[in-house]
Every structure is written in structure tokens, then in C-alpha cells.
């Protein structure tokens, strides 16, 4: 887990215990909960009001529809009675003569369908002559194309007549036929047949009231539908479309019915001039649609409130996070280790307390680690400097030999110079402290190189390529000498030919990399892997070869840390590159 750097990481880690979420929940409880309670109460009240509103609306529409259709059928019935009682019509029943009154009667039968769009046709039938007046001339019944009313006429046995539903010639249109008998001397001699187009009557008078899936039906004495908003219901029984007998007979309350697989609330009413039944069905989908719109409004307001609460909680928590973030950032940056947030840190305050405790514990650990490293460092230096003779004795002996050599020749000579270099080298080795500048390390190393050159003659050349910017940086003492000695003994000496040692140093971001390269015999892959494995495992064994490299690697890791040390690259027969990596600043 990465260290906490911003407020969102606090929220992500501490979850419900974070300041933000606790503030958010507190504000939400104070605002959202009352809103939800009021919304539920208002929603329940709205459902009740909508149901009452739908029932009232349906009842109002039904009442106005009853008035319109009753009035229209009454007018049609009165017109039929007026024609049936007309003297010319009665004369036609007994004397099929061509007179002016007869022609006026025929003109009336022709004119009514023109004046009233919902009247399809008007027939005047004479039983005696078995003929029909539709236009100006009588038409024999056997030549008349529409005879579907004839059975209804035969069943009439009173002057009130009958109203029957039928389809003209079994094709179209759907008709409500009023059959008004004509009596002469109390004997039925014929009838006036007025055909009303039920669909035209509905479309012209009720269509605007019954849209959006609402259903209207007019049911006659025979329990057949003679007018409907759906033409397919014509002349059907109500129960065939889902209208139960309870819904048809109920005049005081609404009844729920399933019509065409959809729930409706149904109201019925009796005709004021006949025994017909009017049915008005209101689909509940309209009711549900209005409720869904109301729910959408509640959800929209709720989302806006949640957004507002979120913003308020975030702004409030930011003011609290500012000092906390500064404290936590200071604790994180000042920690000597990569401290992770512990699972027991239940909130920001607990994290600060635990971090302070951790810093106290880390200080104690650092003191223990430093003491242990100092012990290891002293042992490593002791191992490096230990030889078969006491180094102080060796230093004093070299000084004595130097003066003896000088006295023999009465001047400087190669032996005297080598002894001076070797003495200076040991003086640097025995001086106190663990660190020197890179510039001084190079100076002492060059004195050692002059001794090697005296011994091996022209066995090797040496090149220096050190960036000036790193000369003042700090390095451990006696770091380069073991690397050059390793290059001579293990790289160039077995080659039996003159070689080249190149020493380079430069900055690499926050590190310093010093490379000691030779063009000697190199080493095979297995030896190289084992050597690098020894360096990475931080093993130091004076029984093995390359103990100088191992000693330098050990001391670097003790002082600078495990991320620094020595690595080697080599190719057999091509040479070896030894890389020393140390921090730029100690």
C-alpha cells in the first residue's frame, strides 16, 4: 500500500471511519431521511388521490357520453315515429300511388342521411306491396340489396318498435337499426327503418373523450354491444372482451376488469330513455404512467440532494483534512522506513497516533541497527588491514629502509620513491575515519599504482576519466585500490601481454558510478554469475578469491545500504568491468 498523499486516499483506506464519510452520513441523515419520509407520505397520498381522480374523471366522461348518445337516439327515434305517423307513409301502406305527398315522403327519406352524417339510410317498407321506398320510386323487396332488417321487422309486435345491431349486407358498416312499425287501423302494414352508422356516431361525438386506450361500449337489451370505441367489439357479448357481469350491472362503484390483457377500472350507467347499458373503461396504465412520472421527480430531487450533501460533506471534510494532511505528510516524510498504514488505524486520528508510536519505535531500532553496523564495519576494516605482520611495524620498517636506500645513493632513486609511496599508502590506511573525498581516494590510489608499475614494469597502462563534479563527493577509504589490484592479478597478469586499465566516474541521477575496466582474460559465465551472486547475497569469505572486491562490497552496503555496492560484467577473453555504485550525497 502506498503512503497517504491526498484526501481521496484517506477516504479509500479508512472507508466508513473516514472524516468525509462520517460527515456525509451525518448530513444525509439530517436531510435525506426527512425527505424520504415526506416523499413516502406524499406518494401514498398521491396514489389515493389519483385513484379518486381517475374514478371521478371516468364518471364525468361516462355521464356526458350517456347524455349525448341518449339524446341522439331519442332524436332518431322521434324522427322515425314522425315518419311512421305521416299520412303519406300510411297511404303508401295501402295505396302504392304516385302523388306529391308520396314524393315528399321519398325526398325526406333521401334527405335525412345527408343532413345527419351518422344516419346511413332510411327505408319505408310496405308489407302489402312488399316494396321499399329509399329514393323517389318504390323498389320491390326481392330486388332490394339490404334485407338484414327484415327478421327484426317480423318480430315487432308493438308500436314502440325495436332497435337491432347489424352489419349491412354482412360487410359494412356496423349499424344500429331503429325499426318503427306503421299501423293502419291497428294493423301492422309496414315500417320505417332508420339505419345509424355506429362508428360514425362514435367518431363524431365521443372519440375525443375515449382516446389513450379508454374504452366505450353501448349494450342493448339482448346483451350485445351495439356501439364501441373498438369496432371489433360490435355485436359481441361483454364477457367475450373481459367485461364481467359485475362490471356491467354495477352502477355505483368502479370495478376492475382485464380487457385485452390490460387492467381497467370500469364504470357502468343505465340509459335514461331505454334499458341500454353504457360502459366506460379507464386503463390503469395511464394511472401508472402518472405515478411513474411522480416517482421520477422524487428520484431526480433525491439525486440532487445527494449531490448537494456530497459537496457539503467534501467541503467540510477538506477543512478538517488540511491540518491532518500536513501532520500525516510530515510523519510520512520523516519516517526512516516505508511505513504502511496498519489495518488497526481505524481513522485519521488513530493513524497519526500510531505513526507517532511507530516513529518512537523506529528511533530505537535505528540506534540498534547503527550500533550493529559499526561493529560490522570495524570487523571488515580489521579483516582488510590484517596481514602477517603488524601494520605499524611495517610502516616504521619502510621508513627505515627508505633512509638506508637514500644514504646508499645519496639521492632519490626508484626504490626510495616506491618506499615513500608505500609508506604514504599505509599512513592513509591507518589514519582515523572511514570516509575520504573521491579526489583524495584517487590521489592515494595513484600512489599505489606507481608501486604496481615499479613491480610489473610495462605490464599495463592506466587511464583516468573522472568527472570534476564528483571529486568533492564522499567515498569509503581504500575503495579503488582493491579493484585495480583485482584487475592486475586476475585480468592482466594471466594474459601475458600488455593491457589497459581504465577508471571512469560520473553521476547517474542521485548516484555516483565508478567503473574499473580492463581488457584482460575475463571470466566464464558460471564464474561471473557466482561472483555477482556472492555480492548480492552480501557474503564475505577471506578463504575465497576476489576477497578485495567482496570486502569493498561489504563495507559499501554496511555504510550506504543494500541498494548500493559492486556488480561485475565480463566476457571471457575480452575483459572485465567492475561497477561501484554509491549515493551522491551521504
Amino acid at each position: 500500500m502506498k503512503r497517504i498523499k491526498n484526501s481521496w486516499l484517506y477516504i479509500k483506506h479508512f472507508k466508513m471511519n473516514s472524516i468525509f464519510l462520517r460527515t456525509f452520513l451525518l448530513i444525509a441523515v439530517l436531510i435525506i431521511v426527512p425527505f424520504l419520509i415526506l416523499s413516502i407520505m406524499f406518494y401514498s397520498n398521491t396514489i389515493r388521490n389519483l385513484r379518486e381522480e381517475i374514478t371521478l374523471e371516468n364518471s364525468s366522461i361516462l355521464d356526458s357520453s350517456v347524455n349525448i348518445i341518449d339524446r341522439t337516439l331519442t332524436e332518431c327515434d322521434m324522427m322515425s315515429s314522425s315518419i311512421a305517423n305521416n299520412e303519406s307513409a300510411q297511404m303508401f301502406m295501402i295505396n302504392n300511388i304516385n302523388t306529391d305527398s308520396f314524393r315528399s315522403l321519398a325526398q325526406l327519406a333521401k334527405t335525412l342521411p345527408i343532413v345527419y352524417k351518422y344516419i346511413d339510410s332510411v327505408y319505408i317498407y310496405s308489407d302489402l306491396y312488399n316494396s321499399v321506398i329509399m329514393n323517389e320510386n318504390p323498389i320491390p323487396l326481392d330486388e332490394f340489396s339490404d334485407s338484414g332488417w327484415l327478421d327484426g321487422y317480423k318480430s315487432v309486435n308493438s308500436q314502440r318498435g325495436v332497435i337491432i345491431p347489424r352489419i349491412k349486407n354482412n360487410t359494412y358498416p356496423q349499424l344500429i337499426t331503429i325499426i318503427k312499425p306503421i299501423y293502419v287501423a291497428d294493423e301492422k302494414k309496414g315500417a320505417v327503418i332508420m339505419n345509424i352508422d355506429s362508428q360514425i356516431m362514435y367518431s363524431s361525438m365521443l372519440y375525443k373523450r375515449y382516446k389513450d386506450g379508454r374504452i366505450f361500449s353501448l349494450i342493448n337489451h339482448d346483451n350485445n354491444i351495439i356501439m364501441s370505441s373498438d369496432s371489433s367489439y360490435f355485436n359481441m357479448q361483454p364477457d367475450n372482451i373481459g367485461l364481467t357481469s359485475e362490471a356491467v350491472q354495477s352502477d355505483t362503484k368502479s370495478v376492475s376488469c382485464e380487457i385485452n390483457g390490460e387492467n381497467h377500472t370500469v364504470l357502468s350507467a343505465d340509459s335514461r330513455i331505454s334499458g341500454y347499458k353504457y360502459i366506460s373503461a379507464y386503463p390503469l396504465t395511464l394511472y401508472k404512467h402518472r405515478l411513474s412520472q411522480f416517482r421520477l421527480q422524487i428520484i431526480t430531487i433525491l439525486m440532487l440532494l445527494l449531490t448537494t450533501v456530497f459537496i457539503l460533506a467534501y467541503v467540510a471534510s477538506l477543512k478538517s483534512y488540511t491540518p491532518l494532511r500536513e501532520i500525516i505528510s510530515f510523519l510520512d516524510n520523516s519516517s526512516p522506513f516505508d511505513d504502511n498504514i496498519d489495518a488497526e488505524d481505524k481513522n485519521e486520528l488513530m493513524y497519526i497516533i500510531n505513526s507517532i508510536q511507530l516513529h518512537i519505535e523506529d528511533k530505537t531500532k535505528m540506534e540498534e541497527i547503527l550500533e550493529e553496523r559499526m561493529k560490522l564495519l570495524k570487523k571488515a576494516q580489521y579483516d582488510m588491514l590484517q596481514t602477517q605482520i603488524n601494520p605499524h611495524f611495517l610502516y616504521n620498517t619502510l621508513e627505515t629502509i627508505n633512509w638506508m636506500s637514500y644514504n646508499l645513493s645519496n639521492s632519490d632513486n626508484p626504490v626510495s620513491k616506491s618506499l615513500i609511496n608505500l609508506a604514504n599508502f599505509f599512513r592513509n590506511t591507518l589514519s582515523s575515519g572511514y570516509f575520504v573525498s573521491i579526489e583524495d581516494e584517487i590521489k592515494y590510489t595513484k600512489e599505489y599504482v606507481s608501486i604496481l608499475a615499479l613491480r610489473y614494469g610495462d605490464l599495463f597502462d592506466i587511464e583516468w576519466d573522472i568527472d570534476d563534479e564528483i571529486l568533492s563527493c564522499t567515498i569509503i577509504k581504500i575503495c579503488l585500490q582493491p579493484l585495480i589490484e583485482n584487475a592486475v592479478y586476475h585480468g592482466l597478469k594471466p594474459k601475458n601481454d600488455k593491457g589497459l586499465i581504465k577508471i571512469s566516474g560520473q553521476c547517474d541521477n542521485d548516484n555516483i558510478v565508478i567503473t574499473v575496466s580492463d581488457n584482460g582474460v575475463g571470466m566464464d559465465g558460471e564464474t561471473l554469475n557466482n561472483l555477482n551472486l556472492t555480492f548480492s547475497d552480501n557474503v564475505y569469505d577471506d578463504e575465497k578469491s576476489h576477497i578485495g572486491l567482496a570486502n569493498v562490497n561489504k563495507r559499501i552496503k554496511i555504510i550506504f545500504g543494500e541498494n548500493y555496492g559492486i556488480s561485475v560484467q565480463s566476457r571471457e577473453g575480452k575483459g572485465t568491468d567492475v561497477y561501484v555504485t554509491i549515493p551522491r550525497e551521504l
Side-chain angles (χ1 to χ4, degrees):
M1 182 185 299
K2 295 181 179 179
R3 293 184 179 186
I4 294 179
K5 295 297 182 185
N6 55 53
S7 304
W8 288 115
L9 288 180
Y10 299 152
I11 297 169
K12 180 179 179 182
H13 177 74
F14 296 116
K15 299 180 176 64
M16 297 304 296
N17 289 314
S18 67
I19 292 177
F20 168 76
L21 286 178
R22 283 184 291 169
T23 305
F24 177 82
L25 291 176
L26 177 61
I27 300 176
V29 168
L30 296 176
I31 297 178
I32 303 299
V33 172
F35 171 77
L36 289 177
I37 293 174
L38 292 175
S39 297
I40 292 172
M41 294 173 61
F42 189 64
Y43 183 74
S44 300
N45 188 56
T46 301
I47 292 176
R48 183 171 60 256
N49 291 338
L50 277 178
R51 288 175 178 173
E52 293 176 357
E53 181 183 337
I54 288 171
T55 301
L56 290 174
E57 183 179 354
N58 197 15
S59 177
S60 175
I61 293 174
L62 179 59
D63 287 342
S64 63
S65 300
V66 170
N67 290 333
I68 292 171
I69 300 301
D70 271 0
R71 184 174 63 250
T72 302
L73 291 179
T74 299
E75 290 176 355
C76 292
D77 186 73
M78 290 176 63
M79 286 188 289
S80 299
S81 296
S82 176
I83 296 172
N85 293 323
N86 187 282
E87 184 179 352
S88 297
Q90 292 185 351
M91 290 298 295
F92 174 67
M93 298 299 106
I94 57 176
N95 294 305
N96 188 9
I97 57 176
N98 189 9
T99 63
D100 290 339
S101 59
F102 171 78
R103 282 193 292 273
S104 65
L105 180 66
Q107 186 64 32
L108 177 63
K110 182 179 179 181
T111 303
L112 284 176
I114 298 174
V115 176
Y116 300 96
K117 299 297 182 182
Y118 54 84
I119 296 179
D120 178 77
S121 57
V122 178
Y123 309 150
I124 302 174
Y125 170 65
S126 171
D127 200 0
L128 176 64
Y129 296 106
N130 200 29
S131 60
V132 177
I133 293 177
M134 181 178 177
N135 294 311
E136 296 179 354
N137 297 315
I139 302 172
L141 185 62
D142 55 1
E143 296 178 7
F144 194 64
S145 59
D146 181 17
S147 60
W149 49 269
L150 191 57
D151 291 338
Y153 164 75
K154 293 177 180 179
S155 66
V156 173
N157 52 17
S158 69
Q159 290 185 357
R160 291 188 60 185
V162 69
I163 299 178
I164 62 172
R166 68 188 185 94
I167 300 177
K168 191 174 184 178
N169 297 324
N170 295 321
T171 55
Y172 185 83
Q174 299 168 346
L175 301 176
I176 299 175
T177 299
I178 300 175
I179 302 175
K180 185 66 68 172
I182 301 175
Y183 281 85
V184 179
D186 295 330
E187 185 178 350
K188 185 173 71 171
K189 294 297 185 178
V192 176
I193 297 92
M194 182 175 289
N195 298 306
I196 301 171
D197 191 322
S198 66
Q199 290 307 116
I200 292 179
M201 178 183 283
Y202 168 78
S203 298
S204 61
M205 299 179 182
L206 303 180
Y207 174 75
K208 291 183 179 180
R209 291 175 171 81
Y210 289 93
K211 56 183 180 179
D212 298 330
R214 303 171 190 178
I215 297 174
F216 170 82
S217 295
L218 176 62
I219 302 173
N220 67 2
H221 298 288
D222 298 325
N223 203 33
N224 290 329
I225 298 175
I226 62 175
M227 183 187 295
S228 177
S229 55
D230 190 333
S231 60
S232 64
Y233 297 161
F234 183 79
N235 212 18
M236 292 178 61
Q237 296 285 317
D239 56 356
N240 290 338
I241 66 171
L243 289 170
T244 63
S245 58
E246 179 186 5
V248 174
Q249 298 302 324
S250 178
D251 296 331
T252 58
K253 64 178 183 178
S254 61
V255 178
S256 295
C257 292
E258 187 173 321
I259 303 175
N260 291 334
E262 186 175 343
N263 290 326
H264 289 71
T265 178
V266 180
L267 282 175
S268 65
D270 292 324
S271 171
R272 297 181 179 88
I273 62 172
S274 66
Y276 295 166
K277 281 283 187 180
Y278 290 89
I279 302 296
S280 180
Y282 195 106
L284 293 180
T285 52
L286 298 180
Y287 158 81
K288 293 178 179 178
H289 176 66
R290 295 172 70 175
L291 285 179
S292 65
Q293 288 182 326
F294 183 69
R295 285 195 299 268
L296 181 61
Q297 292 175 355
I298 292 177
I299 292 173
T300 301
I301 295 174
L302 180 61
M303 295 304 296
L304 290 175
L305 285 176
L306 284 173
T307 303
T308 303
V309 170
F310 181 89
I311 293 173
L312 290 176
Y314 185 69
V315 171
S317 61
L318 277 183
K319 293 183 178 179
S320 300
Y321 277 133
T322 299
L324 291 177
R325 185 167 56 248
E326 292 177 358
I327 295 172
I328 292 175
S329 178
F330 172 77
L331 292 173
D332 284 344
N333 293 332
S334 63
S335 175
F337 301 102
D338 292 332
D339 297 330
N340 295 331
I341 302 174
D342 195 270
E344 296 180 356
D345 300 336
K346 296 181 179 180
N347 53 50
E348 293 85 347
L349 295 178
M350 287 299 298
Y351 174 73
I352 292 174
I353 293 172
N354 290 342
S355 295
I356 293 173
Q357 293 177 343
L358 185 62
H359 275 64
I360 295 173
E361 295 175 357
D362 287 343
K363 182 179 180 181
T364 304
K365 290 180 181 178
M366 283 296 295
E367 291 176 353
E368 294 175 354
I369 292 172
L370 182 59
E371 183 178 354
E372 182 65 25
R373 287 190 175 183
M374 290 300 295
K375 292 179 180 179
L376 292 174
L377 180 60
K378 290 179 180 180
K379 182 179 184 304
Q381 282 195 315
Y382 176 79
D383 291 340
M384 179 197 69
L385 299 175
Q386 184 175 3
T387 59
Q388 291 182 348
I389 62 176
N390 185 286
H392 293 281
F393 173 76
L394 178 60
Y395 167 70
N396 294 330
T397 302
L398 289 174
E399 286 289 341
T400 301
I401 296 173
N402 175 43
W403 284 108
M404 293 174 64
S405 173
Y406 184 84
N407 290 330
L408 288 175
S409 61
N410 292 320
S411 65
D412 290 336
N413 56 70
V415 175
S416 176
K417 290 181 179 180
S418 297
L419 289 172
I420 292 173
N421 289 334
L422 184 58
N424 290 336
F425 176 77
F426 276 105
R427 183 180 294 108
N428 173 59
T429 300
L430 296 174
S431 63
S432 61
Y434 303 118
F435 306 105
V436 293
S437 66
I438 293 178
E439 184 177 13
D440 287 341
E441 176 67 12
I442 292 173
K443 173 184 175 183
Y444 300 140
T445 304
K446 286 181 178 180
E447 292 176 346
Y448 173 76
V449 169
S450 65
I451 298 174
L452 286 180
L454 180 64
R455 178 180 178 185
Y456 292 105
D458 60 351
L459 179 63
F460 64 91
D461 290 331
I462 190 163
E463 294 181 1
W464 296 84
D465 183 17
I466 307 297
D467 288 349
D468 293 339
E469 61 179 315
I470 70 170
L471 292 176
S472 60
C473 295
T474 302
I475 192 172
I476 63 172
K477 210 169 20 173
I478 315 178
C479 178
L480 299 181
Q481 177 266 326
L483 274 60
I484 295 175
E485 183 179 11
N486 183 79
V488 172
Y489 282 112
H490 298 285
L492 301 180
K493 186 177 179 181
K495 184 178 180 181
N496 294 322
D497 194 7
K498 187 172 184 177
L500 174 65
I501 298 175
K502 184 175 181 179
I503 302 158
S504 61
Q506 62 276 328
C507 288
D508 182 12
N509 295 326
D510 293 333
N511 297 331
I512 294 174
V513 179
I514 298 176
T515 307
V516 178
S517 304
D518 66 73
N519 60 352
V521 296
M523 63 185 76
D524 58 77
E526 182 179 359
T527 304
L528 177 65
N529 290 336
N530 290 335
L531 184 60
N532 281 320
L533 183 62
T534 299
F535 294 156
S536 62
D537 289 343
N538 204 8
V539 175
Y540 174 69
D541 187 354
D542 57 8
E543 297 285 336
K544 297 182 178 179
S545 60
H546 303 288
I547 59 173
L549 299 185
N551 182 275
V552 173
N553 180 69
K554 178 72 173 180
R555 287 186 293 134
I556 289 175
K557 289 185 178 295
I558 290 173
I559 294 175
F560 298 120
E562 294 297 326
N563 293 329
Y564 305 97
I566 289 179
S567 63
V568 180
Q569 291 184 0
S570 181
R571 292 180 61 186
E572 193 169 7
K574 298 294 183 179
T576 302
D577 298 321
V578 179
Y579 300 92
V580 178
T581 303
I582 59 175
R584 185 172 182 179
E585 294 182 2
L586 182 59

